[in-house]
Amino acid sequence: DAGVIQSPRHEVTEMGQEVTLRCKPISGHDYLFWYRQTMMRGLELLIYFNNNVPIDDSGMPEDRFSAKMPNASFSTLKIQPSEPRDSAVYFCASSYSDRLTDTQYFGPGTRLTVL
Amino acid sequence: AQSVAQPEDQVNVAEGNPLTVKCTYSVSGNPYLFWYVQYPNRGLQFLLKYITGDNLVKGSYGFEAEFNKSQTSFHLKKPSALVSDSALYFCAVRDTRSSNTGKLIFGQGTTLQVKP
């Protein structure tokens, strides 16, 4: 298995622009998580899905952030409009809902820089 | 409240010496505990987990962790550190507030620096 795939790996954009981050989870996994990592706040859970349905979006910072999962093999995290304080590394992770595992597997991340 | 604490921001150890990265947790019900490692400019990699059974769990790259229920701890250990072990280490616990969520609660991370 190729693992969790994220694209792009790096994104540089200007303030006010729309940014779309993409994630392909591991095949067969039914949970998908979006995290954000910064020096100041560490690793934060933004939102997660189960069977393509958003379960908990309480970590989404503001209405400028939105996430979708149109099918089991694809998810997007969109920021519109982007701001410099959104600069961070965004990780996608997936897992299988087995009570004896729950191991989340992380993608390589997207490093976002908003100028 | 459900939480994970990593009391040390950084741990420094000489190559060849044993290392310990500390983690304590607070959770209702049985704890499912995890350790992840993050190398520079990489995603988090799963190291090991405790679900049930033997309190000493062995994982990848020679790491092991000891579950101590009375002290609510799950410290990560390695008998002999390598310079290549230098990385950021995260402890996590499964969120048991809702059944079958798959959600993990992460600690703030501990930077391990192994010096030659």
Side-chain angles (χ1 to χ4, degrees):
Chain A
D1 198 315
V4 176
I5 299 172
Q6 291 186 248
S7 64
R9 293 294 309 277
H10 302 272
E11 177 80 34
V12 180
T13 190
E14 294 188 347
M15 182 174 63
Q17 296 298 307
E18 177 179 297
V19 175
T20 300
L21 311 181
R22 297 172 176 80
C23 174
K24 176 179 170 55
I26 293 173
S27 178
H29 282 189
D30 53 352
Y31 277 95
L32 184 138
F33 305 82
W34 281 102
Y35 291 89
R36 178 172 69 176
Q37 186 178 37
T38 61
M39 289 292 291
M40 292 296 294
R41 300 175 67 90
L43 191 65
E44 304 173 273
L45 176 64
L46 300 178
I47 185 172
Y48 74 97
F49 296 82
N50 179 220
N51 291 321
N52 313 336
V53 176
I55 303 300
D56 183 353
D57 65 353
S58 60
M60 295 286 262
E62 351 181 338
D63 292 345
R64 297 185 296 105
F65 285 69
S66 62
K68 295 181 180 180
M69 192 165 185
N71 57 62
S73 59
F74 184 65
S75 177
T76 60
L77 178 67
K78 185 175 293 186
I79 309 172
Q80 166 64 17
S82 59
E83 297 182 2
R85 60 192 167 124
D86 301 331
S87 297
V89 181
Y90 291 81
F91 290 106
C92 176
S94 69
S95 70
Y96 175 62
S97 59
D98 182 327
R99 291 182 65 86
L100 295 182
T101 60
D102 292 324
T103 301
Q104 290 185 20
Y105 294 91
F106 282 73
T110 296
R111 182 174 296 276
L112 173 65
T113 302
V114 183
L115 303 174
Chain B
Q2 312 226 18
S3 64
V4 172
Q6 294 180 241
E8 301 156 316
D9 289 337
Q10 181 158 329
V11 170
N12 298 310
V13 64
E15 188 174 32
N17 283 359
L19 68 88
T20 299
V21 183
K22 296 180 180 178
C23 172
T24 58
Y25 66 91
S26 173
V27 64
S28 57
N30 294 322
Y32 292 0
L33 296 154
F34 300 78
W35 275 102
Y36 286 82
V37 59
Q38 184 181 24
Y39 297 102
N41 301 312
R42 304 285 294 275
L44 277 69
Q45 295 180 30
F46 168 72
L47 271 182
L48 53 80
K49 65 185 175 188
Y50 172 83
I51 303 298
T52 186
D54 195 346
N55 289 344
L56 186 64
V57 179
K58 294 188 182 299
S60 307
Y61 312 122
F63 283 93
E64 57 190 25
E66 186 171 9
F67 171 67
N68 187 317
K69 187 173 183 178
S70 62
Q71 296 185 6
T72 61
S73 67
F74 188 56
H75 301 333
L76 182 69
K77 300 180 180 183
K78 188 173 183 181
S80 178
L82 300 173
V83 173
S84 57
D85 293 330
S86 299
L88 181 60
Y89 290 80
F90 289 95
C91 181
V93 64
R94 183 175 180 273
D95 188 341
T96 58
R97 283 173 290 189
S98 301
S99 62
N100 203 28
T101 67
K103 180 179 176 182
L104 296 179
I105 300 169
F106 283 87
Q108 71 271 31
T110 298
T111 298
L112 173 66
Q113 187 72 41
V114 182
K115 298 185 178 180

